[in-house]
Structures are given as structure tokens and as C-alpha cells.
């Protein structure tokens, strides 16, 4: 564009005024993400026990992960507006939550309503909200997106507390969550809109921001702006997808196995930390770097599995609802802090590795690996009733391996002779 400002890497910017409702749009996106949280963490804790429930959860995760990529592609190309995308997401997520509460033993209805429609709706809401917030906060996109994805974690806490205090009210809790999702996501559909292409707040000089040595030392910019086909040919993209697969499987598995203990306060704490840990991790990553923080987060997740496995060997059978010791609570804290924070960190690494121009599309490809994570979580959960300690040790290995690999991630596009 003729009026665009370019920085030293050639990235283009179109500075403009900050809209008066930018903060309100952020809050609407935050609320929408919280409203759809019961679809994943609420169902995993309350209804995904074994057999059909685990299968439904796996299908839901697959549909949710797969729904984000086409939604982002259509929105970025201007073929689907933010308002119709979120309106469809409101209807689909409400239908999924209502079906989860009312379907009961009607497995085909639950498969169609909760797993498929609810999963696709959640993918729409998740992908569009992240894209809109990132477009309006380009100067600190990673931190802001981390905040709204945190809401996707802790948004299920009220439902879990309600169902934990009154187990017989679980269907009513899901129906109430459906009404809340319809209203909140519908309100987001009315208020959210994407920023103009290349928009940048005029109060901050983009060239000065691009040359900030302190920022570049900790969170360097991409060597160039990658297209999706170019990113697919690098080693970094499959590595990020593999990390998400392993960590995502362990994260969902933890909710299922802790819920099986019957300690609903521990479940609520786990889910709350899953969300709050995302914001904390993003703050740490801006001080210590994304890769170091990612390694620490995955290490915390692995430690949580070891502590929960130690609870097994100490004699407290979590799957039978027996007594719970301090190891359970320590494991919940460690697993909670690590169980969701890797999502915004990986999204930030995609931006850091491949640039911002195609960030949404490339991140959607990485995020689609969550479908494999759902299968892994279900496999671990299916093995847990017979051998919970062994399943937790396997989960610890799944988290520990990417924790060791995370510091070795390198910026693609740089000559191999340049030290990291």
C-alpha cells in the first residue's frame, strides 16, 4: 500500500487512531471464550468417564481443532464476516452444551449435537476471537491473546463448582451454560470486528517498536514473513505441532483423572490454574523468552504427573474416590500451571518464527494437532482405571520429552552458522 510505513525488515504498517471501543471488544472476546469453556473442561470433568463419553470428547476435540483453520481462512480472506461467524458459533456452541446436558444415553444425539456441532462452534469462536484480538493489539498480541485463551480454561469453573456441590444438577448446569453461551457469544457477534489490514496504533511508532533492542533480545522477530507452504517445509512447524499434541493430551487427561478422584475442589483448582497459568506464562515469556518459559511450563506439567502418580503408589486410589493427600494438591497445582500455558506460548512462537502476516493460518495448522491430542488423552484415560499410576507415568513422559526439546527450537530462515 502506498501510505504504508515499513520497518527495517520490510514489514508494512498503516498507523491509525485507536477506536474508543477497543477495550470493550477485548472484554467481549474474553467473555465469549469463557462461555464456551464448559464444552471442553466441563464435559471432560463431569461426563467423560469411559467408553462412549471418552469417544465423544475425542470427537469434540477433533472437530474443535479442525474448525479453527477454515474459519480463520475465510475470515482473513474476507469471505466470512466476524459477525456471521460468531453468530453461527453462538448457535452451535449453545446446541452442543444443551445436548451434553439433555442427551443422556442417546449416543447418536450426543455425537451429532455435542461432539460435531459443539466442536465446530467452539472452533469458530476460538479462532475468530483470537484473530480479532490479535488484529486490534498488534503491539502486544501475544499477551492479549494469552489472556483470552486463559478464559477458555477457567471459564468452566462455575459449572464445575455447581455440579460438584449438587451432582444431580449436572444436566441443568449444562443447559444453563448453553443459555449463557448463546447470550454472551451472541453479544460478541454484535460488538466484535476485525481491524483493517496492517493497522497499527498511531500513538506508537512501529519503526521504533521494531528496533527495540531489549524486546528483540528476549522475543526476536521472524527472519522474514513466511507463507503457509513455506512454513510447512520448515522443521520448526512440525516440532511445534508435536509439542502441542503431547502436552494437549496430558492436559485433558489430567482433568479426567482428577475428576475421577471425586475431589471437586481439586478439579476446580486444576481448571482455574489451567486458565490463569496462561497469562502468567506470557508475562514470564516477555522477561525470560518464549522457549525457556515453554520448557519450564512443560516441566511443570511433567512434574504434576509424577506427583499424581506418587499419590497412587502412596495408597490413595484416586479412581475409587478414596482419601486424598498433599501429593494430590501439589500435583494439581503443578499440572494446572503447566496444563494450559503452552497454548499461548506456542501461538507466540508461531508469530516469532514465521511472522505476523500469515500468523493466523500457520497457527491454525499447528493448533489442528489438538485433534491428535484428543486421541492421546482418551487413550490415557481409558488405561487409567486399570493402572492409574502407569497412565500418569506415561503422561509424564509425554510432557517431559517436549520439555527437553523446547530450548532447542530455532528461528527458521537464518543461516545455520549464526548462533542462537
Amino acid at each position: 500500500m502506498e501510505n504504508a510505513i515499513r520497518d527495517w525488515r520490510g514489514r508494512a504498517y498503516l498507523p491509525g487512531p485507536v477506536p474508543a471501543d477497543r477495550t470493550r471488544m477485548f472484554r467481549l472476546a474474553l467473555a465469549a471464550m469463557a462461555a464456551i469453556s464448559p464444552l471442553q473442561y466441563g464435559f471432560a470433568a463431569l461426563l467423560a468417564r469411559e467408553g462412549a463419553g471418552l469417544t465423544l470428547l475425542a470427537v469434540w476435540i477433533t472437530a474443535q481443532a479442525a474448525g479453527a483453520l477454515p474459519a480463520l481462512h475465510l475470515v482473513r480472506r474476507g469471505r466470512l464476516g466476524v459477525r456471521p461467524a460468531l453468530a453461527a458459533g453462538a448457535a452451535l456452541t449453545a446446541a452442543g452444551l444443551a445436548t451434553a446436558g439433555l442427551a443422556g444415553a442417546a449416543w447418536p444425539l450426543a455425537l451429532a449435537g455435542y461432539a460435531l456441532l459443539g466442536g465446530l462452534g467452539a472452533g469458530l469462536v476460538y479462532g475468530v476471537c483470537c484473530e480479532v484480538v490479535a488484529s486490534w493489539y498488534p503491539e502486544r498480541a501475544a499477551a492479549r491473546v494469552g489472556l483470552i485463551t486463559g478464559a477458555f480454561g477457567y471459564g468452566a469453573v462455575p459449572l464445575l463448582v455447581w455440579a460438584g456441590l449438587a451432582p444431580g444438577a449436572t444436566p441443568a448446569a449444562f443447559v444453563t451454560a448453553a443459555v449463557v453461551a448463546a447470550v454472551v457469544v451472541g453479544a460478541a457477534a454484535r460488538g466484535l470486528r476485525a481491524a483493517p489490514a496492517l493497522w497499527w496504533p498511531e500513538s506508537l511508532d512501529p519503526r521504533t517498536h521494531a528496533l527495540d533492542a531489549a524486546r528483540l533480545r528476549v522475543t526476536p522477530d521472524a527472519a522474514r514473513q513466511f507463507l503457509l507452504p513455506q512454513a510447512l517445509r520448515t522443521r520448526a512447524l512440525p516440532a511445534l505441532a508435536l509439542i502441542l499434541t503431547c502436552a494437549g493430551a496430558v492436559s485433558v487427561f489430567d482433568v479426567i483423572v482428577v475428576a475421577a478422584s471425586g475431589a471437586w475442589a481439586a478439579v476446580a483448582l486444576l481448571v482455574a490454574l489451567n486458565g490463569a497459568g496462561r497469562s502468567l506464562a506470557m508475562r514470564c515469556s516477555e522477561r525470560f523468552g518464549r522457549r525457556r518459559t515453554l520448557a519450564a511450563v512443560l516441566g511443570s506439567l511433567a512434574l504434576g504427573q509424577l506427583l499424581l502418580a506418587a499419590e497412587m503408589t502412596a495408597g490413595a486410589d484416586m479412581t475409587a474416590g478414596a482419601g486424598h493427600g498433599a501429593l494430590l494438591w501439589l500435583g494439581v497445582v503443578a499440572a494446572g500451571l503447566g496444563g494450559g500455558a503452552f497454548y499461548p506460548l506456542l501461538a507466540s512462537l508461531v508469530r516469532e518464527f514465521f511472522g505476523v502476516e500469515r500468523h493466523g493460518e500457520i497457527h491454525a495448522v499447528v493448533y489442528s494437532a489438538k485433534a491428535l491430542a484428543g486421541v492421546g488423552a482418551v487413550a490415557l484415560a481409558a488405561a487409567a482405571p486399570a493402572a492409574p499410576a502407569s497412565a500418569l507415568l506415561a503422561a509424564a513422559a509425554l510432557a517431559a520429552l517436549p520439555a527437553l526439546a523446547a530450548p532447542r527450537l530455532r528461528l527458521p530462515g537464518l543461516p545455520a552458522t549464526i548462533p542462537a
Side-chain angles (χ1 to χ4, degrees):
M1 297 185 182
E2 295 182 0
N3 298 326
I5 296 175
R6 295 188 179 274
D7 62 21
W8 65 286
R9 289 185 182 273
R11 181 187 168 191
Y13 307 83
L14 285 175
V18 176
D21 61 346
R22 182 169 76 155
T23 300
R24 184 177 66 88
M25 288 194 288
F26 169 79
R27 291 172 179 169
L28 285 172
L30 185 81
M33 294 285 270
I36 66 172
S37 176
L39 280 164
Q40 175 167 300
Y41 294 105
F43 189 92
L46 298 171
L47 300 178
R49 291 290 185 268
E50 57 186 28
L54 292 177
T55 302
L56 289 172
L57 180 61
V59 175
W60 183 90
I61 292 174
T62 301
Q64 189 253 343
L69 179 58
L72 279 174
H73 181 77
L74 293 174
V75 170
R76 289 181 68 90
R77 292 289 185 272
R79 297 175 183 174
L80 178 64
V82 170
R83 177 172 292 186
L86 287 178
L92 292 173
T93 52
L97 285 165
T99 305
L102 300 175
W107 195 84
L109 178 60
L111 176 64
Y114 164 74
L116 294 177
L117 297 182
L120 290 173
L124 273 172
V125 176
Y126 191 102
V128 172
C129 285
C130 288
E131 178 71 10
V132 168
V133 169
S135 72
W136 283 116
Y137 290 89
E139 75 281 18
R140 53 184 188 278
R144 287 290 174 164
V145 172
L147 285 173
I148 67 167
T149 61
F152 184 64
Y154 56 68
V157 171
L159 178 107
L160 295 176
V161 172
W162 181 2
L165 294 175
T170 297
F174 273 98
V175 172
T176 303
V179 175
V180 171
V183 173
V184 173
V185 181
R190 291 179 59 85
L192 290 181
R193 64 186 186 277
L198 306 181
W199 180 83
W200 185 268
E202 63 182 1
S203 57
L204 177 63
D205 186 348
R207 291 166 295 191
T208 302
H209 179 80
L211 286 170
D212 187 345
R215 181 185 65 84
L216 291 173
R217 190 179 303 113
V218 180
T219 56
D221 290 337
R224 56 189 174 88
Q225 301 296 314
F226 284 74
L227 299 175
L228 179 56
Q230 296 170 331
L232 289 171
R233 291 194 292 269
T234 67
R235 295 181 180 180
L237 191 142
L240 295 175
L242 182 60
I243 291 173
L244 190 146
T245 300
C246 295
V250 177
S251 176
V252 176
F253 166 67
D254 283 341
V255 177
I256 298 172
V257 76
V258 174
S261 71
W264 290 106
V267 180
L269 177 62
L270 176 69
V271 173
L273 290 175
N274 183 294
R278 305 183 192 210
S279 177
L280 176 62
M282 294 311 300
R283 290 180 178 273
C284 291
S285 71
E286 293 175 352
R287 185 179 182 88
F288 303 108
R290 313 283 192 214
R291 284 165 283 187
R292 289 180 180 177
T293 306
L294 178 61
V297 162
L298 295 172
S300 177
L301 184 60
L303 175 62
Q305 312 313 301
L306 295 176
L307 291 169
L308 293 174
E311 177 82 356
M312 303 293 95
T313 58
D317 186 359
M318 289 168 56
T319 62
H324 312 295
L327 290 174
L328 169 65
W329 295 97
L330 292 174
V332 163
V333 171
L337 290 174
F342 60 88
Y343 283 114
L345 286 170
L346 290 173
S348 300
L349 283 172
V350 170
R351 187 183 300 272
E352 187 175 300
F353 285 178
F354 305 111
V356 299
E357 291 184 4
R358 294 291 184 271
H359 168 264
E361 296 175 9
I362 298 172
H363 177 242
V365 172
V366 174
Y367 191 76
S368 65
K370 188 179 177 182
L372 295 176
V375 176
V378 167
L380 289 170
S390 298
L392 285 162
L393 290 175
L398 275 179
L401 290 176
L404 296 174
R408 299 177 179 273
L409 293 170
R410 292 292 181 265
L411 284 171
L414 293 178
T417 54
I418 295 180

